[in-house]
């Protein structure tokens, strides 16, 4: 089987992290976003993956080379010269996706995290015999995503009002060949910081139910916490809930972390407190510093001792010597 992953463009919503790497390579729960999807696809027998991309394809392919060999899959790019929505990349990649086998193929967005029920999808798709299946989920704010009207008993779609896909799905729905499967478990588009933090909570909650041995335990841990085996945690820390600490990180004594991601190579100095924030690669947070309210530190940012950041968005390679008292971008 084959899959098309819609990677898209510049990842502006996740800046300043995407100033260092393309969005699908930004780590989520200590693994590049796109790798969560690639591993789940491989587990159901997908052997060829096409990335629909219009920005830095060579960076993506070079990074994913080691995983091609490790997972036994082929990863290629279908490059858009301009953004093409959803139908465009499908048409562009037609020759890579369609062959004599007649096997269905998957299409997914690179910044969506879920439990990826691909096995159930294949069974659902083959059972109804229609042309296409989409996975749907209930959200609090449908205006952000579009709406599907479906027959509850069969999953057959009557209309599909997601403007991003207005070229494809309404036509198939009109022919009564489009079916919707309600997603089991959680779903989150993690393409912007607030949703990334929410997505981490949902992902760790799911991990607790499915593979709780991957989560950290101990008197210093509260709730669900993921700590890379190469990270070092000092005495008297309190970590959690909903925290991911990446490889090579050093968390000194007396540190408090909650609802945050600390990426590879970060050092958090004594008695710092971080909540609802993302700390980019190889950054430093000084002693007694307080970092909160959706503060996003880009790569190699250094927050000095006793600094307060209230929602600061800091571009890479900066030193923060004075407090950020209200949400702002530090260039």
């Amino acid at each position: 089987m084959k899959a098309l992953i819609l990677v898209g463009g510049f990842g502006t919503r996740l800046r300043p992290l995407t100033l260092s790497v393309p969005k699908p390579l930004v780590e989520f729960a200590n693994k590049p976003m796109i790798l969560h999807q690639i591993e789940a696809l491989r587990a159901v027998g997908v052997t060829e993956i096409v990335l629909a991309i219009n920005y830095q394809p060579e960076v993506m392919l070079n990074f994913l080379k080691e995983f091609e060999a490790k997972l036994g899959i082929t990863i290629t790019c279908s490059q858009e010269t301009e953004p093409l929505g959803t139908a465009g990349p499908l048409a562009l990649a037609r020759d890579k996706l369609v062959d004599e086998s007649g096997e269905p193929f998957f299409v997914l967005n690179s910044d969506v995290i879920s439990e990826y029920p691909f096995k159930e999808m294949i069974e659902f798709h083959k059972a109804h015999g229609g042309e296409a299946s989409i996975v749907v989920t209930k959200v609090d704010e449908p205006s952000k995503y579009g709406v599907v009207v479906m027959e509850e008993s069969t999953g057959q779609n009557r209309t599909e009002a997601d403007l991003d896909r207005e070229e494809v799905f309404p036509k198939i729905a009109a022919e009564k060949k489009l079916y919707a499967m309600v997603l089991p478990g959680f779903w989150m588009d993690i393409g912007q910081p607030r949703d990334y933090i929410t997505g981490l909570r949902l992902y760790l909650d799911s991990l607790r139910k499915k593979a709780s041995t991957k989560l950290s335990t101990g008197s210093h841990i509260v709730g669900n916490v993921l700590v890379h085996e190469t990270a070092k945690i000092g005495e008297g820390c309190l970590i959690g809930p909903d925290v991911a600490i990446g490889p090579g990180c050093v968390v000194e004594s007396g540190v408090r972390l909650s609802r945050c991601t600390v990426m590879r190579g970060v050092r958090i100095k004594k008695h710092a407190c971080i909540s609802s924030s993302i700390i980019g690669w190889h950054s430093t947070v000084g002693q007694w510093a307080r970092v909160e309210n959706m503060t996003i530190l880009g790569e190699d940012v250094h927050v000095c001792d006793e600094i307060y950041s209230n929602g600061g968005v800091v571009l890479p390679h900066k030193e923060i010597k004075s407090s950020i008292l209200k949400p702002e971008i530090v260039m």
Side-chain angles (χ1 to χ4, degrees):
M1 284 185 76
K2 299 178 182 181
L4 176 70
I5 301 180
L6 304 172
V7 172
F10 301 104
T12 48
R13 297 179 304 157
L14 254 195
R15 284 181 181 163
L17 301 171
T18 49
L19 295 173
S20 297
V21 297
K23 182 170 64 173
L25 301 186
V26 172
E27 285 97 339
F28 175 83
N30 293 348
K31 190 186 293 182
M33 286 183 193
I34 201 166
L35 203 50
H36 288 273
Q37 300 179 328
I38 289 172
E39 289 178 351
L41 287 165
R42 186 67 192 94
V44 293
V46 170
T47 53
E48 289 182 50
I49 293 174
V50 182
L51 308 178
I53 191 167
N54 58 28
Y55 178 61
Q56 293 187 321
E58 61 292 333
V59 177
M60 289 283 296
L61 286 177
N62 287 342
F63 176 83
L64 292 169
K65 274 221 170 340
E66 66 168 292
F67 298 103
E68 277 192 301
K70 201 184 286 182
L71 298 171
I73 50 173
T74 308
I75 301 172
T76 56
C77 275
S78 173
Q79 191 174 1
E80 312 162 27
T81 49
E82 56 184 309
L84 296 171
T86 302
L90 263 172
L92 200 62
R94 180 188 285 124
D95 294 343
K96 293 175 184 276
L97 293 170
V98 179
D99 57 27
E100 323 73 64
S101 73
E103 278 286 313
F105 57 87
F106 290 102
V107 180
L108 50 157
N109 281 319
S110 67
D111 45 12
V112 164
I113 199 87
S114 76
E115 290 175 1
Y116 305 124
F118 295 138
K119 184 170 176 287
E120 294 87 334
M121 273 195 81
I122 295 167
E123 290 165 0
F124 175 79
H125 183 73
K126 290 186 171 168
H128 68 62
E131 196 170 320
S133 303
I134 55 174
V135 167
V136 296
T137 190
K138 289 179 179 171
V139 293
D140 295 333
E141 210 184 315
S143 60
K144 277 169 74 176
Y145 307 107
V147 176
V148 166
V149 180
M150 58 186 262
E151 299 284 354
E152 202 157 353
S153 56
T154 63
Q156 189 175 69
N157 272 72
R158 292 207 292 267
T159 58
E160 153 55 270
D162 181 343
L163 296 178
D164 188 36
R165 294 163 178 76
E166 63 186 4
E167 322 93 319
V168 183
F169 291 148
K171 289 174 185 164
I172 307 175
E175 294 169 6
K176 297 190 163 35
K177 291 181 179 173
L178 178 64
Y179 289 78
M181 178 182 122
V182 177
L183 181 83
F186 76 98
W187 179 96
M188 184 53 68
D189 173 345
I190 54 171
Q192 53 194 14
R194 195 169 294 280
D195 295 338
Y196 178 107
I197 295 290
T198 302
L200 182 65
R201 174 176 62 77
L202 297 171
Y203 174 83
L204 294 176
D205 203 39
S206 166
L207 203 58
R208 164 74 61 199
K209 292 171 189 149
K210 290 187 347 190
S212 62
T213 52
K214 291 184 178 176
L215 295 171
S216 295
T217 54
S219 57
H220 62 299
I221 299 290
V222 182
N224 298 330
V225 174
L226 192 64
V227 179
H228 192 272
E229 58 193 20
T230 60
K232 292 183 169 60
I233 311 285
E235 294 290 309
C237 292
L238 191 57
I239 296 172
D242 308 322
V243 172
I245 299 174
C249 290
V250 176
V251 179
E252 295 183 2
S253 60
V255 164
R256 176 74 180 103
L257 303 176
S258 63
R259 298 179 304 284
C260 64
T261 284
V262 178
M263 290 184 171
R264 182 180 62 251
V266 165
R267 179 177 283 267
I268 314 280
K269 295 190 174 174
K270 292 175 184 174
H271 306 293
C273 180
I274 300 172
S275 66
S276 301
S277 297
I278 302 174
I279 311 300
W281 310 271
H282 306 289
S283 292
T284 307
V285 176
Q287 294 185 35
W288 297 101
R290 187 176 184 91
V291 173
E292 62 187 28
N293 190 25
M294 287 300 138
T295 291
I296 314 295
L297 305 186
E299 181 180 16
D300 181 42
V301 167
H302 301 283
V303 175
C304 293
D305 293 352
E306 299 180 31
I307 291 293
Y308 173 56
S309 173
N310 173 23
V313 174
V314 185
L315 272 63
H317 316 298
K318 299 286 173 203
E319 187 175 25
I320 304 300
K321 294 178 176 174
S322 55
S323 289
I324 301 167
L325 301 178
K326 63 182 194 306
E328 62 175 292
I329 296 169
V330 179
M331 313 250 331

